[in-house]
Amino acid sequence: MKNKYVWCLGAGLMQVPVVEEIWNLGYSVIVSDGNDSAPCIDILRENDIFEHIDIFDIENHINALIKLQQPGGIDVAGTVCIGIDCPETAAAMQEYLGKPTAPRDVARICHNKAEFRKAMKVLGYPTPTVTDKLIVKTKTESSGSRGTVLYPDCGYLIEQRWEGTEHTVETLFDVNGKFWPCFITDRFFNYSRGFALETGLRHPSTLPSYIQRKAYQIAEELGRDLGINHGPFKLDIIVTEDGVRVIEATTRFSGGFDCQYLVPAATGKNILRAGIFTAIGEPICSIFGNPTHHRWNKVALSESLWPPVGKIVDIQGVEEAKKIEGVEHIIFRKNVGDIVEDYVDCTKRVCFIITSGNTEPEAWEAMDKAQNNIRIVIE
Ligand SMILES: Nc1ncnc2c1ncn2[C@@H]1O[C@H](COP(=O)(O)OP(=O)(O)O)[C@@H](O)[C@H]1O
Ligand SMILES: [Mg+2]
């Protein structure tokens, strides 16, 4: 029998579980990445295909699709964009294949922070005051333009800062256009050094159920207002005293192992499967990948280790830590020989440790044990 393929954009660590889920559904995999030593390439099976294409290079992705699907070639059933930020590439490929997707222009608008703010404003959603032209008056009682600095078209987006707790809201519009609230996570941040550094995640969210309902309601309304009928739709929100505020939205699933490992550990929900089903044009049924189907009610956490800046010369205790009860996954992004950089953004974290427990204290206990068991030696 001829193999059918699902195209997974990206071949990084966050696509490993996506590739595995594509196999679970009986498909072969095509992965594409600009990095030809990306982690998924090593795990590919005999019939799988690696395409060495930059994830943002839409033209060459379409060219590759055309080539692969020539008479006598293979069938590509759909494209998924999970844990990687190239939703426009996915939308273009899905449009080419005639498969369910968010409109390509919407995928692009969501990917651009300035365009997204504009769209939100036009649609009437609360938007932080945004400007790219600024005048700063450092003296409140002065004359002769003293202490006044103009920043015309500085190329930055300067906006009002919302204050509150941060959360990820993941949803899906299925092949029939039906909206599925998938999950909400709590995001832990450290803002103390003037950077928005995400340090961890918790699922289920501890937001009151009425706020979670509201967050899903906003996701559905915003998705429909943008003209999204199919595919994943993820919001980054801040819950402020004045209401739920959308910082960012995108037409893909998350990249912090939320949908890959955290939520499955807490609930058994198979969000990846639901996403793949939609991409290949299959309805979500109750047996396979119903994303709202809770199989158990646990609490899962994600955290990291924060060694000082320097070169990693040794990492000890990972295998023992993996055996600790409640430790679900330990994934290192940096290895021996790599440089630990200053933690100025979330891409600098060294690892992901995901634990679970029947209660939150149990999950924290497993996290503490895992963190204490691992030693990263820095030079
Ligand atoms: N208007 C805002 N008010 C408060 N915090 C914000 C705002 N915009 C961005 N942030 C902070 O910066 C982080 C990253 O912003 P975001 O727009 O989501 O970009 P990224 O693509 O890096 O995730 C957010 O998680 C939040 O902590
Ligand atoms: Mg964000």
Side-chain angles (χ1 to χ4, degrees):
M1 202 181 85
K2 197 169 152 187
N3 283 336
K4 279 204 139 212
Y5 285 79
V6 173
W7 194 308
C8 169
L9 285 162
L13 288 171
M14 297 194 196
Q15 285 77 48
V16 169
V18 181
V19 166
E20 289 168 349
E21 192 54 35
I22 293 171
W23 288 334
N24 288 342
L25 294 172
Y27 289 82
S28 293
V29 180
I30 306 166
V31 287
S32 53
D33 205 303
N35 172 5
D36 64 1
S37 54
C40 286
I41 301 167
D42 288 340
I43 63 166
L44 293 184
R45 294 177 178 169
E46 202 187 327
N47 290 309
D48 297 333
I49 298 169
F50 169 63
E51 290 284 348
H52 190 192
I53 313 171
D54 185 280
I55 52 161
F56 299 111
D57 182 347
I58 295 174
E59 196 184 330
N60 276 316
H61 272 92
I62 302 289
N63 288 341
L65 269 182
I66 294 169
K67 218 166 153 191
L68 287 168
Q69 298 206 114
Q70 275 168 357
I74 62 166
D75 264 342
V76 182
T79 311
V80 286
C81 180
I82 301 176
I84 193 153
D85 205 13
C86 55
E88 190 188 349
T89 309
M93 292 171 77
Q94 288 289 86
E95 279 179 10
Y96 173 79
L97 292 170
K99 294 289 178 165
T101 177
R104 184 173 160 179
D105 64 333
V106 173
R108 182 174 55 238
I109 288 165
C110 288
H111 187 69
N112 181 298
K113 294 184 196 308
E115 291 294 320
F116 179 68
R117 289 282 183 260
K118 262 190 228 166
M120 290 289 280
K121 200 165 180 183
V122 169
L123 293 172
Y125 289 85
T127 308
T129 318
V130 188
T131 182
D132 57 1
K133 293 178 191 63
L134 203 71
I135 182 161
V136 178
K137 300 176 185 184
T138 59
K139 296 192 170 76
T140 47
E141 288 179 20
S142 71
S143 60
S145 300
R146 272 172 293 195
T148 299
V149 189
L150 292 164
Y151 292 96
D153 293 319
C154 55
Y156 305 145
L157 265 194
I158 296 162
E159 58 185 48
Q160 172 203 352
R161 182 177 173 194
W162 284 317
E163 277 186 87
T165 56
E166 296 206 45
H167 312 269
T168 298
V169 182
E170 300 215 14
T171 72
L172 179 78
F173 295 91
D174 74 9
V175 62
N176 298 313
K178 181 173 152 53
F179 175 77
W180 296 84
C182 297
F183 65 86
I184 299 180
T185 55
D186 295 341
R187 308 174 72 194
F188 308 130
F189 274 83
N190 180 343
Y191 310 103
S192 65
R193 291 181 57 217
F195 307 110
L197 180 68
E198 189 186 64
T199 59
L201 298 169
R202 172 175 52 211
H203 183 77
S205 168
T206 52
L207 283 173
S209 58
Y210 75 93
I211 298 181
Q212 298 198 34
R213 251 175 61 94
K214 185 71 192 173
Y216 282 133
Q217 194 188 327
I218 291 170
E220 178 168 14
E221 272 175 29
L222 177 58
R224 300 222 187 267
D225 281 350
L226 287 166
I228 298 170
N229 294 318
H230 309 295
F233 191 49
K234 173 180 93 78
L235 305 185
D236 288 348
I237 61 163
I238 294 195
V239 178
T240 75
E241 281 179 1
D242 301 320
V244 174
R245 297 289 178 260
V246 179
I247 318 177
E248 198 178 33
T250 181
T251 58
R252 61 171 175 87
F253 281 140
S254 54
F257 292 114
D258 315 36
C259 62
Q260 292 91 341
Y261 293 138
L262 184 86
V263 172
T267 66
K269 286 182 188 178
N270 196 335
I271 307 300
L272 301 181
R273 186 169 288 193
I276 297 165
F277 262 62
T278 304
I280 64 177
E282 291 287 330
I284 292 165
C285 59
S286 53
I287 307 167
F288 290 114
N290 174 343
T292 63
H293 182 58
H294 257 85
R295 286 158 62 207
W296 51 81
N297 286 302
K298 290 177 35 176
V299 176
L301 300 168
S302 158
E303 249 282 359
S304 184
L305 286 159
W306 309 95
V309 171
K311 187 175 173 183
I312 302 179
V313 290
D314 197 11
I315 302 175
Q316 298 159 356
V318 177
E319 290 315 309
E320 293 85 331
K322 281 183 179 168
K323 292 185 196 128
I324 295 167
E325 197 187 338
V327 173
E328 299 272 354
H329 298 275
I330 300 178
I331 305 133
F332 268 80
R333 304 177 75 185
K334 305 237 177 196
N335 292 301
V336 172
D338 291 342
I339 304 291
V340 178
E341 296 169 84
D342 194 13
Y343 302 109
V344 295
D345 61 55
C346 313
T347 66
K348 305 292 186 291
R349 71 190 281 168
V350 171
C351 64
F352 289 83
I353 303 174
I354 294 157
T355 64
S356 72
N358 289 320
T359 61
E360 189 172 343
E362 261 182 46
W364 278 119
E365 199 185 317
M367 183 63 75
D368 287 343
K369 280 189 191 160
Q371 286 173 325
N372 290 330
N373 227 281
I374 300 170
R375 209 168 92 82
I376 302 175
V377 185
I378 299 290
E379 194 169 69

